[in-house]
C-alpha cells in the first residue's frame, strides 16, 4: 500500500474513534481527546486494515497518522 | 492508629483468618506450586514465602505504615505481603506520580519508611528498604520466627480516594476488613489451586487485591504478563492461551472494548477462561448483549461486581451470564439497566433516604486518616431494630429489583468514575486552577466510545493567551497531577455559567461548550 494511502487510512480510523473531523496527518491522538481505551480501538483497526500488531508503547511513541504510517511501513516492508 | 473514630466491629464467632496466615498455609500445602508467573519466570510459593519473611524480618515488628514504590513485579507483591506479615500497613506509591504528589501521599498516609527499588529516589528522604535488583530471590531468608501479634483492627493498607477540596483522602483499611472481603470473594469466585488469575489492575489501587489475595490465599497462581497491558487485544488473547489464564478481573470500561474487539473480529473466548469479573462502572446493556453472542461465552461466568475503597474490594456481585446466571440470558433478553447484584455474605446493606446505599459489617474501613470531620460525615452509627452499628454512606443511589438485586441509579454528588477510579470534579478543578493563567475551571465527565472521560473547561485570566492556554494547562497537569486527574480534553471558554445559588454550573458548562458533530450521533445509534 502506498505511504499516503496508509496515512489516509489512519486519519479515517482516528476520525471514527475520536468522533471528530478535526484530524490531519500530524494530529496527536492523545492531544485530540484520545485515551488508552480509545487507543485499543485504533490498534484493533490497524490489525484489521494492515495486519500490523502494535502495542500502546509504540503508539505513544508514534501518536500521529504520519508517524504511525511510517511504523507500519517499516514493519510490513 | 489514633484516627480510628469508631469502636471496633463486633466480632462474629466464625471470623475469617488473616490473609497472611492463609497465604502461609497455602505455601505449606503447595510449596512447589507457582505463586507468581511473571512472563517466563515462575516463583514458587516456597520462594515467595522466603521473600515475604525476608522483608518482614528486615522491617521489624513495629514498622507502622510503609510506603512501597510499586512496579508490576513479584517484588511489589512480596513487599505488600511482607508489610502485612510484619504487622504494618501497606501504602502503594505510583513511581510515575510527580514528586510533589508522592510527598503529599507519603505525608498524608504517615509513612515511616519506604520500600523501593535500588535506584529509586525516596519521597521526603524517608528511611529506605532497598529490594535487591534485579534478582528478587536474593533477599536473606529470615528464620521462621513467630510473627508479631496482629490485631484485626490494625490497619493493613492505606489507599487514597479523591477529595472534593483538591487533597486526596487516605482511607485506612483494617486487617479484619480484608479478611472478610477476601473470604467472601474467594468463595464467590470459587478460587482453587488449579486456577491461574491474571494480575491486570494497577498495583496502586485496591482492585489489584481482588486478584492477588483470593489467588495467593487459596494456592492458585497469579499471572503477570507484559502482553496483558499492551492495549493490543490479539496479544491479550494469545497471552491468555499461553499462560492458561482461568480468571480475569477487568475494569468494566476495558471489558467493553474487549467485547467490541471479540465481536468485530468474530473471535472466540480462549478455552482456558472460566470466569470474567468486571467492575468499576456501569456495564452497558449493548455490550452485555454482544458478549452473550461471543462464541464460548456460555460456559464462562461473567460476574458484575460493586464496591468502594471504604467498604473494601467487593460488597455486591451478580452473575450476568454463563452457567450460574439466573433468568433469560439470551442476547435479545438484555435488561435496560444492569444490576450490581446482591450483598456478599459478610455485608450488611441498608437503603437510606434518597435511595442511598449504606454498607455495614466487618469490611468497613477505619475512616479517613487524619480527617475526623469527613470521616464523621460518611461513617454513621445507627441504632434501629434492623439497622444497627456503623455504616458507610456510599453516595450511590440504588433501587431494588423484584429478585432482590440492586441497580445503580446514579450519584448523590458530582463524583465521577473515570476508568474505574473515583474522581471528584472539585479535585480535578483545583489541579487546573494551579496553572497561573487559569482564573476558574470546570471538570466533568463525558461519554466517549463506551466509557466516561474527564473533560475540562478553563476560564483564562485577562493577560493569558486563549489560543495556547489549553495545551499549556494539559502540559502543566501532566507534569504535576496523577493521570486520572488529567482531562483528555481541555476547552478554553469566555465565561462559566452559574447556578441560582451562585456555584459554577458544571452540567450547563458542558452543555454550552461540548464539541459536537454528526459522528457522535452515528456512533450512539449502534
Amino acid at each position: 500500500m502506498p505511504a499516503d494511502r496508509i496515512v489516509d487510512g489512519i486519519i479515517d480510523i482516528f476520525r471514527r474513534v475520536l468522533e471528530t473531523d478535526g484530524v490531519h496527518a500530524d494530529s496527536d491522538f492523545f492531544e485530540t481527546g484520545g485515551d488508552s481505551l480509545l487507543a485499543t480501538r485504533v490498534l484493533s483497526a490497524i490489525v484489521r486494515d494492515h495486519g500490523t500488531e502494535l502495542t500502546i508503547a509504540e503508539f505513544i511513541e508514534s501518536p500521529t497518522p504520519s508517524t504511525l504510517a511510517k511504523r507500519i511501513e517499516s514493519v510490513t516492508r | 492508629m489514633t484516627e480510628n473514630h469508631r469502636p471496633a466491629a463486633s466480632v462474629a464467632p466464625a471470623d475469617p483468618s488473616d490473609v497472611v496466615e492463609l497465604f502461609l498455609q497455602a505455601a505449606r500445602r503447595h510449596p512447589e506450586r507457582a505463586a507468581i508467573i511473571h512472563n517466563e519466570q515462575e516463583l514458587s510459593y516456597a520462594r515467595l514465602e522466603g521473600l515475604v519473611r525476608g522483608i518482614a524480618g528486615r522491617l521489624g515488628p513495629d514498622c507502622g505504615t510503609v510506603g512501597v514504590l510499586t512496579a508490576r513485579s513479584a517484588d511489589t507483591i512480596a513487599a505488600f505481603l511482607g508489610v502485612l506479615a510484619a504487622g504494618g500497613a501497606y501504602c502503594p506509591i505510583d513511581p510515575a506520580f510527580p514528586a510533589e504528589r508522592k510527598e503529599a501521599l507519603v505525608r498524608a498516609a504517615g509513612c515511616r519508611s519506604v520500600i523501593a527499588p535500588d535506584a529509586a529516589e525516596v519521597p521526603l528522604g524517608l528511611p529506605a528498604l532497598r529490594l535487591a535488583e534485579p534478582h528478587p530471590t536474593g533477599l536473606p531468608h529470615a528464620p521462621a520466627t513467630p510473627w508479631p501479634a496482629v490485631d484485626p483492627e490494625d490497619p493493613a493498607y492505606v489507599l487514597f480516594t479523591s477529595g472534593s477540596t483538591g487533597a486526596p483522602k487516605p482511607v485506612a483499611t483494617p486487617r479484619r476488613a480484608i479478611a472478610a472481603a477476601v473470604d467472601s470473594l474467594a468463595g464467590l469466585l470459587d478460587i482453587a489451586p488449579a486456577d491461574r488469575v491474571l494480575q491486570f489492575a494497577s498495583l496502586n489501587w485496591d482492585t489489584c487485591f481482588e486478584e492477588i489475595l483470593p489467588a495467593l490465599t487459596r494456592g492458585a497462581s497469579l499471572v503477570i504478563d507484559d502482553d496483558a497491558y499492551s492495549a493490543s487485544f490479539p496479544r491479550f488473547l494469545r497471552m491468555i492461551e499461553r499462560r492458561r489464564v482461568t480468571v480475569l478481573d477487568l475494569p468494566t470500561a476495558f471489558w467493553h472494548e474487549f467485547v467490541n474487539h471479540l465481536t468485530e473480529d468474530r473471535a472466540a473466548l480462549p478455552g482456558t477462561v472460566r470466569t470474567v469479573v468486571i467492575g468499576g462502572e456501569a456495564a452497558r446493556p449493548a455490550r452485555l448483549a454482544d458478549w452473550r453472542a461471543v462464541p464460548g461465552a456460555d460456559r464462562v461466568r461473567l460476574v458484575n461486581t460493586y464496591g468502594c475503597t471504604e467498604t473494601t474490594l467487593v460488597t455486591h456481585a451478580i452473575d450476568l451470564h454463563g452457567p450460574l446466571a439466573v433468568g433469560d440470558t439470551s442476547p435479545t433478553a438484555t435488561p435496560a439497566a444492569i444490576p450490581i447484584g446482591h450483598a456478599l455474605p459478610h455485608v450488611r446493606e441498608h437503603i437510606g433516604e434518597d435511595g442511598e446505599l449504606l454498607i455495614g459489617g466487618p469490611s468497613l474501613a477505619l475512616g479517613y486518616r487524619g480527617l475526623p470531620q469527613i470521616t464523621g460525615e460518611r461513617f454513621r452509627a445507627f441504632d434501629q431494630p434492623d439497622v444497627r452499628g456503623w455504616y458507610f454512606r456510599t453516595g450511590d443511589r440504588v433501587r431494588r429489583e423484584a429478585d432482590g438485586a440492586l441497580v445503580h441509579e446514579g450519584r448523590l454528588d458530582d463524583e465521577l468514575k473515570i476508568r474505574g477510579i473515583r474522581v471528584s470534579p472539585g479535585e480535578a478543578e483545583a489541579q487546573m486552577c494551579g496553572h497561573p493563567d487559569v482564573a476558574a475551571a470546570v471538570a466533568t465527565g463525558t461519554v466517549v466510545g463506551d466509557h466516561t472521560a474527564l473533560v475540562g473547561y478553563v476560564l483564562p485570566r485577562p493577560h493569558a493567551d486563549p489560543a495556547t492556554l489549553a495545551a499549556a494547562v494539559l502540559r502543566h497537569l501532566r507534569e504535576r497531577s496523577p493521570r486520572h486527574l488529567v482531562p483528555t480534553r481541555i476547552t478554553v471558554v469566555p465565561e462559566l455559567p452559574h447556578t441560582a445559588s451562585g456555584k459554577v454550573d458544571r452540567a450547563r458548562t458542558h452543555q454550552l461548550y461540548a464539541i459536537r458533530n454528526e459522528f457522535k450521533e452515528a456512533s450512539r445509534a449502534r
Side-chain angles (χ1 to χ4, degrees):
Chain A
M1 206 184 281
D4 40 344
R5 288 237 338 255
I6 301 182
V7 175
D8 287 346
I10 294 171
I11 291 175
D12 242 28
I13 294 171
F14 276 29
R15 285 183 176 160
R16 241 181 9 246
V17 170
L18 294 171
E19 302 177 4
T20 173
D21 288 334
V23 173
H24 50 85
D26 296 319
S27 299
D28 184 322
F29 181 79
F30 300 98
E31 302 281 332
T32 322
D35 59 23
S36 60
L37 284 168
L38 294 179
T40 65
R41 295 186 176 192
V42 173
L43 297 181
S44 286
I46 289 174
V47 176
R48 276 177 213 120
D49 295 355
H50 304 280
T52 307
E53 274 181 25
L54 300 175
T55 65
I56 185 80
E58 291 167 320
F59 189 12
I60 289 169
E61 277 174 24
S62 319
T64 67
S66 59
T67 52
L68 265 181
K70 281 203 193 84
R71 203 174 264 271
I72 290 166
E73 267 191 296
S74 72
V75 173
T76 49
R77 187 170 290 154
Chain B
M1 261 194 176
T2 51
E3 52 276 13
N4 185 353
H5 301 285
R6 326 181 279 99
S10 59
V11 179
D15 274 348
S17 304
D18 193 83
V19 290
V20 173
E21 183 51 41
L22 291 175
F23 162 68
L24 293 172
Q25 284 172 15
R28 222 165 295 141
R29 273 197 305 272
H30 317 280
E32 298 311 318
R33 198 176 266 282
I36 298 174
I37 301 165
H38 184 185
N39 293 333
E40 305 304 322
Q41 272 198 323
E42 290 199 4
L43 186 70
S44 68
Y45 267 89
R47 297 273 291 278
L48 179 59
E49 183 188 338
L51 287 176
V52 170
R53 286 183 184 277
I55 291 165
R58 285 167 68 187
L59 285 171
D62 187 28
C63 58
T65 303
V66 180
V68 175
L69 286 167
T70 58
R72 225 185 259 287
S73 67
D75 273 1
T76 295
I77 292 162
F80 164 57
L81 291 172
V83 171
L84 287 190
Y90 168 87
C91 176
I93 302 161
D94 187 341
F97 276 1
E100 243 171 73
R101 180 90 179 176
K102 278 189 263 195
E103 288 174 2
L105 297 188
V106 163
R107 210 176 282 125
C111 295
R112 299 196 338 227
S113 62
V114 171
I115 298 179
D118 280 0
E121 200 179 313
V122 171
L124 300 177
L126 286 175
L129 189 156
R130 300 287 179 181
L131 291 169
E133 275 194 328
H135 208 283
T137 51
L139 287 172
H141 286 211
T145 46
W147 300 98
V150 292
D151 184 331
E153 293 301 314
D154 282 345
Y157 56 64
V158 179
L159 295 170
F160 290 87
T161 186
S162 193
S164 56
T165 57
K169 297 186 290 186
V171 180
T173 301
R175 303 179 80 103
R176 50 115 169 119
I178 297 169
V182 169
D183 184 58
S184 269
L185 194 56
L188 170 79
L189 303 178
D190 196 21
I191 301 293
D195 274 312
R196 287 182 165 204
V197 180
L198 180 66
Q199 204 290 294
F200 185 81
S202 157
L203 286 157
N204 303 300
W205 304 100
D206 46 355
T207 311
C208 71
F209 304 128
E210 292 177 21
E211 304 164 329
I212 295 168
L213 290 173
L216 296 184
T217 55
R218 290 213 168 185
S221 303
L222 197 63
V223 173
I224 305 174
D225 194 300
D226 294 342
D227 276 345
Y229 329 109
S230 65
S232 159
F233 285 115
R235 286 171 197 265
F236 187 75
L237 287 165
R238 285 201 305 273
M239 176 279 301
I240 292 172
E241 285 189 325
R242 187 171 64 242
R243 302 285 172 225
R244 304 197 305 279
V245 172
T246 62
V247 178
L248 297 168
D249 191 331
L250 304 174
T252 302
F254 183 84
W255 175 76
H256 287 153
E257 297 305 329
F258 186 40
V259 179
N260 282 330
H261 177 87
L262 291 169
T263 304
E264 288 194 28
D265 271 16
R266 298 174 197 284
L269 276 170
T272 58
V273 177
R274 66 169 185 84
T275 299
V276 175
V277 181
I278 59 173
E281 62 194 89
R284 300 193 149 229
R287 296 295 83 77
L288 177 59
D290 288 346
W291 175 266
R292 287 173 167 177
V294 167
D298 286 350
R299 46 157 197 80
V300 174
R301 283 180 72 190
L302 176 67
V303 184
N304 195 24
T305 59
Y306 166 89
C308 312
T309 301
E310 293 88 338
T311 58
T312 314
L313 307 184
V314 172
T315 57
H316 290 72
I318 186 166
D319 278 67
L320 296 179
H321 195 70
L324 300 185
V326 176
D328 186 354
T329 58
S330 58
T332 50
T334 318
I338 292 176
I340 58 173
H342 306 274
L344 295 187
H346 69 283
V347 173
R348 288 202 295 269
E349 68 177 18
H350 172 63
I351 301 178
E353 291 160 34
D354 307 337
E356 183 176 21
L357 176 61
L358 289 92
I359 306 277
S363 72
L364 253 61
L366 298 167
Y368 303 110
R369 185 181 188 279
L371 302 169
Q373 194 186 335
I374 303 174
T375 301
E377 286 164 13
R378 298 300 289 268
F379 291 84
R380 289 280 177 84
F382 283 79
D383 190 16
Q384 297 165 12
D386 51 342
V387 191
R388 203 176 285 278
W390 289 90
Y391 279 75
F392 173 69
R393 295 179 46 209
T394 63
D396 286 316
R397 276 191 305 114
V398 296
R399 74 179 144 83
R400 199 182 292 284
E401 299 274 78
D403 66 353
L406 298 184
V407 172
H408 190 243
E409 294 210 298
R411 289 286 306 172
L412 287 158
D413 57 19
D414 279 344
E415 189 177 277
L416 304 167
K417 273 288 188 95
I418 306 292
R419 275 162 282 174
I421 299 172
R422 281 154 60 185
V423 173
S424 160
E427 185 175 21
E429 287 160 1
Q431 304 274 325
M432 286 188 272
C433 288
H435 189 282
D437 288 346
V438 173
V442 159
T444 187
T446 189
V447 174
V448 292
D450 275 329
H451 63 278
T452 303
L454 188 68
V455 287
Y457 298 94
V458 295
L459 184 68
R461 286 193 189 279
H463 63 270
D465 176 6
T468 57
L469 185 59
V473 174
L474 270 179
R475 250 193 329 272
H476 174 90
L477 294 178
R478 285 187 183 140
E479 283 164 15
R480 288 171 185 79
S481 302
R483 262 162 300 173
H484 64 278
L485 294 179
V486 181
T488 55
R489 195 194 296 269
I490 287 180
T491 307
V492 178
V493 299
E495 58 183 328
L496 292 173
H498 288 75
T499 60
S501 63
K503 282 182 173 174
V504 172
D505 190 335
R506 294 187 178 112
R508 181 94 186 102
T509 303
H510 186 54
Q511 243 174 17
L512 278 175
Y513 302 115
I515 297 160
R516 295 168 195 288
N517 59 54
E518 72 264 59
F519 276 98
K520 266 205 165 121
E521 301 313 316
S523 70
R524 264 331 105 61
R526 275 207 293 162

